[in-house]
Amino acid sequence: MSGTKPKVLLVEDDPFMTTLISQELTKEGMEVVYAGNGEDAVKQFQASRPDLLLLDIVLPKKSGLEALGEIRALPDGERVPAIILSNMEEPEYRREAERLGAAAYLIKANVQLPEIAAKVKAVMKR
């Protein structure tokens, strides 16, 4: 990561949210690559070698948690930190995210864009 922009793989199916989050992370000096569904998330992970995953849970084709599980099984999949960004507040989703090693679980309705960027930066520094 030294000397280059940290790369975030944003997995979000809402184009408006994708644009807002991408703009905020770019403004904070990060490179953003994205996938609009769970299947593409796994492919994009392999193609882009991101420094962090930022995943929604409810996605077309495959949930964010299913995609994260598949990514964790890939070479280097365990080393890349993940943050869940979803409106799914149910405890079973949080438990599954924790089991898959998610570094944070943010509820979209409860966070502002600068908070998301700050959490991404904090998790990448760990």
Side-chain angles (χ1 to χ4, degrees), residues 50-72:
D51 298 299
L52 182 132
L53 300 164
L54 184 58
L55 301 110
D56 190 2
I57 290 177
V58 179
L59 297 165
K61 298 188 181 180
K62 186 176 294 186
S63 80
L65 293 174
E66 289 172 313
L68 182 56
E70 287 185 28
I71 288 167
R72 291 294 188 228

Side-chain angles (χ1 to χ4, degrees), residues 74-85:
L74 295 170
D76 281 344
E78 284 290 328
R79 73 158 182 83
V80 178
I83 296 174
I84 301 298
L85 179 63

Side-chain angles (χ1 to χ4, degrees), residues 79-104:
R79 73 158 182 83
V80 178
I83 296 174
I84 301 298
L85 179 63
S86 179
N87 274 322
M88 304 303 290
E89 296 190 58
E90 292 80 0
E92 61 267 21
Y93 291 108
R94 285 182 182 269
R95 281 194 298 273
E96 181 63 7
E98 287 173 14
R99 187 187 73 74
L100 292 168

Side-chain angles (χ1 to χ4, degrees), residues 15 22 25 32 40 42 44 54 58 89 106 118-119 124 126:
S22 293
L25 296 179
V32 180
D40 287 346
V42 177
Q44 187 62 264
L54 184 58
V58 179
E89 296 190 58
L106 305 175
K119 180 58 82 173
M124 279 197 281
R126 291 182 192 167

Side-chain angles (χ1 to χ4, degrees), residues 1 4-9 31 33 41-53 71 74-77 79-80:
M1 254 179 11
T4 62
K5 290 182 178 182
K7 189 183 299 181
V8 176
L9 172 53
E31 178 184 347
V33 293
V42 177
K43 292 174 190 167
Q44 187 62 264
F45 176 84
Q46 292 173 297
S48 65
R49 317 281 296 166
D51 298 299
L52 182 132
L53 300 164
I71 288 167
L74 295 170
D76 281 344
R79 73 158 182 83
V80 178

Side-chain angles (χ1 to χ4, degrees), residues 13-48:
D13 63 325
D14 179 331
F16 183 68
M17 283 297 296
T18 299
T19 299
L20 290 177
I21 295 167
S22 293
Q23 288 174 343
E24 185 69 21
L25 296 179
T26 300
K27 184 176 84 179
E28 293 296 323
M30 295 171 232
E31 178 184 347
V32 180
V33 293
Y34 61 94
N37 64 61
E39 281 183 9
D40 287 346
V42 177
K43 292 174 190 167
Q44 187 62 264
F45 176 84
Q46 292 173 297
S48 65

